Amino acid sequence: MKDDKIIITVGRQIGSGGRTIAKILSEQFHCSFYDKEILNLAAKESGLCEKFLEKNDEHKGFFGSLLHFQMAFISGSNTYEGTNLQEQIYQFQSDVIHKAAEKSNCVFVGRTADYLLRNHKNIVNIFITASPETRVERVCKRMNINAEAARKYIKEQEHERACYYNFYTGKKWGFSTSYDLCINSSILGIKDTADYIAEFIKQRFKCKMEE
């Protein structure tokens, strides 16, 4: 297994601490870390405006007004023939994920990386959840908003995230059958949850080495 690259994908509920946990895992396993970085690379690959990609990140649906459409192509873009803008954006991001996975050990946050890299030899797919109270508290602190606004934000954003994931993968976002490990970060806290997952990953790859 030593010649095969390790891929860790992290799906996460809003406010679960999933991104922070993914970052810790990338440091522990000496992996390249990809979250918003995917958008930057996809923008360079496609010629699309990065702000446009960020606005529509992990969203399934009509991509903005004609003005947004025009702004996206200010720098000029490559295209995939026979596909609409939404499909092209997904394809550019998919290409970036595949290329990154070929180069080095990687941790990917969201963006259906678990599905795109499902045929990779050494991949572990994690999903991070947390209690509603914990998630609201974290979003309030992060965005400096009240609890009501946080709950609304979580509901809306997770609906978009689930629709995006379900549409492109044919699976169910957040359902345990889609992942190797689902864990509630409210129980152990961010650091200890990351350590628990790291031990799981070590044991997983140890078993593969012994096969």
Side-chain angles (χ1 to χ4, degrees), residues 26-177:
S26 72
E27 293 167 357
Q28 291 189 0
F29 289 96
H30 307 291
C31 294
S32 299
F33 178 77
Y34 294 95
D35 181 18
K36 296 293 185 182
E37 292 80 1
I38 292 173
L39 303 181
N40 176 266
L41 293 172
K44 291 179 180 178
E45 183 85 10
S46 65
L48 291 166
C49 172
E50 186 177 352
K51 288 187 178 298
F52 178 81
L53 294 180
E54 184 173 350
K55 178 180 177 59
N56 297 290
D57 187 28
E58 293 189 294
H59 282 63
K60 171 70 181 73
F62 182 71
F63 281 79
S65 66
L66 179 61
L67 175 61
H68 288 146
F69 181 90
Q70 292 170 334
M71 288 179 66
F73 285 87
I74 285 176
S75 61
S77 65
N78 302 309
T79 60
Y80 286 87
E81 186 176 353
T83 59
N84 61 35
L85 179 59
Q86 177 177 294
E87 292 169 340
Q88 289 185 39
I89 289 173
Y90 183 74
Q91 188 61 59
F92 282 125
Q93 291 190 5
S94 300
D95 290 348
V96 165
I97 289 170
H98 280 292
K99 288 178 182 179
E102 291 172 1
K103 291 181 180 179
S104 64
N105 298 335
C106 296
V107 173
F108 294 100
V109 178
R111 298 169 185 83
T112 73
D114 60 311
Y115 175 76
L116 293 172
L117 301 174
R118 61 194 180 279
N119 294 323
H120 195 281
K121 290 182 180 179
N122 301 307
I123 184 169
V124 176
N125 301 314
I126 310 296
F127 190 83
I128 312 295
T129 184
S131 69
E133 297 79 12
T134 298
R135 295 165 59 212
V136 167
E137 181 181 347
R138 286 174 179 163
V139 170
C140 285
K141 185 178 298 185
R142 185 178 73 203
M143 300 181 68
N144 193 28
I145 57 178
N146 62 33
E148 182 179 356
R151 282 190 287 268
K152 181 180 179 182
Y153 175 81
I154 290 170
K155 181 178 180 180
E156 291 176 349
Q157 293 300 309
E158 289 197 344
H159 173 73
E160 294 289 350
R161 189 173 287 179
C163 287
Y164 178 90
Y165 182 91
N166 297 349
F167 178 82
Y168 285 111
T169 69
K171 301 194 295 180
K172 292 291 186 180
W173 179 79
F175 278 41
S176 61
T177 53

